[in-house]
Amino acid sequence: MSIGKKIFGIALCMLLFLAAVAFLSHQRLSRISAEISDQTKYIIPISHLVEEVVTHFLNQQLHFERAMGLYQERTLNLPAIKAELKFQETAGAMVDEAIKKSSDLSRAAVTSALSAGNREEFARLGLTFERLEKEHQEFHDHLMTVLSLIEHGAVSYTHLRAHETRGNL
């Protein structure tokens, strides 16, 4: 074999290796691009909605505790109690709304996420949001039961707190 053919063969092999490296780099960059796209389109908005859920849930608890604290006073301040309970209801509605938006977004992500791994995660996340929605409804029902018992004089707030500290609730 002549020297020219050897040099040409080496150059051709190097060109093929370069093409293979370029192809593999393109494939990996495409996967990274899909991950980033899923993050900006779904993961970041869902995380913001989860923050909303936590914030509104804590507000809901705070206003309910304030209302219950007002029931402890010797003279009941009914307008203040009603205002706190209204704030509690509003915060509860905002929790429900944020959970629904999160659930809807995770369902949309399952069908249109670019990464298969992300689709599986979004499916699990959707189930978690559905469970969270049910648990929040149970929490709300429990609050309303406690409130009804207090309003009808069946139990006092102080009595409930005593049972709560002993772990009987």
Side-chain angles (χ1 to χ4, degrees):
M1 220 170 166
S2 72
I3 191 111
K5 288 183 180 180
K6 288 180 183 177
I7 292 174
F8 182 73
I10 291 172
L12 186 60
C13 285
M14 289 182 73
L15 191 60
L16 288 174
F17 284 134
L18 180 65
V21 167
F23 177 75
L24 290 174
S25 295
H26 180 276
Q27 292 290 39
R28 290 184 186 202
L29 285 174
S30 293
R31 264 189 296 206
I32 291 171
S33 174
E35 287 285 328
I36 290 172
S37 176
D38 287 347
Q39 284 184 0
T40 57
K41 201 170 183 181
Y42 301 109
I43 295 172
I44 293 171
I46 287 174
S47 67
H48 289 301
L49 288 168
V50 168
E51 288 174 18
E52 270 187 54
V53 168
V54 170
T55 301
H56 296 310
F57 180 73
L58 291 174
N59 280 335
Q60 182 181 18
Q61 285 181 316
L62 173 73
H63 290 294
F64 187 77
E65 283 295 321
R66 283 181 182 169
M68 295 301 99
L70 289 170
Y71 273 112
Q72 289 185 79
E73 296 178 5
R74 291 195 188 274
T75 57
L76 290 180
N77 184 351
L78 291 178
I81 291 171
K82 290 190 184 293
E84 288 298 333
L85 292 175
K86 180 70 175 161
F87 287 136
Q88 179 265 330
E89 281 291 322
T90 302
M94 293 170 101
V95 169
D96 290 336
E97 183 181 328
I99 290 173
K100 184 178 179 341
K101 284 181 184 176
S102 300
S103 183
D104 292 346
L105 190 57
S106 65
R107 247 185 265 113
V110 168
T111 58
S112 62
L114 300 174
S115 167
N118 282 347
R119 283 193 294 272
E120 292 172 12
E121 289 297 320
F122 289 131
R124 278 198 315 228
L125 194 57
L127 294 174
T128 301
F129 283 126
E130 289 173 11
R131 190 175 66 246
L132 183 61
E133 189 172 17
K134 288 177 187 172
E135 288 175 5
H136 185 256
Q137 185 59 46
E138 289 171 5
F139 173 75
H140 181 267
D141 294 344
H142 178 73
L143 290 181
M144 293 299 104
T145 301
V146 168
L147 182 62
S148 176
L149 288 172
I150 291 172
E151 285 180 348
H152 290 74
V155 67
S156 70
Y157 178 69
T158 308
H159 178 77
L160 287 173
R161 291 300 279 184
H163 279 284
E164 183 180 295
T165 56
R166 282 186 257 139
N168 293 336
L169 270 184

